Amino acid sequence: VQLVESGGGLVQPGGSLRLSCAASGFTFGPYAVSWYRQAPEKQRKLVAQIFGGGIGFTNYTDSVKGRFTISRDNPKNLVYLQMNSLKPEDTAVYYCNSARFPSSWGQGTQVIVSS
């Protein structure tokens, strides 16, 4: 069971990034998948969730609503986080997590928003 996050980088305020989360050793299936972030010296916090099923209900923390979009591609076993209008306060290491194996975490991908 492994999760691999990618797509992070350095971006200027107002810019965009798309993060990807790939699972190996299992499929995301109908289970919820979440993106979390952890800023330096702060606790890891939930950013966005996408639930299974046909509708794929989503949930976002207030600070990213209208700017971030979580989506999933079940045939490819991938989950994405499209981040637009990035702000310096979005700087953090971003992690994905599957409700199927909630104790498994990847290495994360670093996002730095700075001019």
Side-chain angles (χ1 to χ4, degrees):
V1 174
Q2 189 176 14
L3 291 165
V4 179
E5 302 91 346
S6 62
L10 173 63
V11 63
Q12 292 186 343
S16 299
L17 285 173
R18 188 178 80 159
L19 307 184
S20 298
C21 172
S24 62
F26 74 104
T27 58
F28 288 126
Y31 294 85
V33 180
S34 304
W35 281 97
Y36 288 77
R37 66 186 179 187
Q38 187 167 16
E41 300 182 359
K42 293 189 176 180
Q43 288 187 332
R44 192 170 299 183
K45 294 184 178 180
L46 178 66
V47 175
Q49 289 178 306
I50 185 165
F51 295 87
I55 298 177
F57 179 78
T58 58
N59 183 44
Y60 300 91
T61 192
D62 286 346
S63 62
V64 309
K65 285 180 180 177
R67 301 188 297 121
F68 290 12
T69 302
I70 188 171
S71 61
R72 61 195 299 166
D73 185 334
N74 284 338
K76 294 183 178 179
N77 210 29
L78 292 169
V79 173
Y80 303 103
L81 185 67
Q82 177 66 44
M83 306 188 297
N84 298 328
S85 302
L86 283 161
K87 304 176 181 180
E89 52 263 44
D90 295 318
T91 294
V93 179
Y94 285 70
Y95 303 87
C96 62
N97 183 265
S98 169
R100 188 171 183 180
F101 296 102
S103 62
S104 293
W105 295 90
Q107 294 298 309
T109 186
Q110 175 77 60
V111 172
I112 300 174
V113 185
S114 176
S115 55

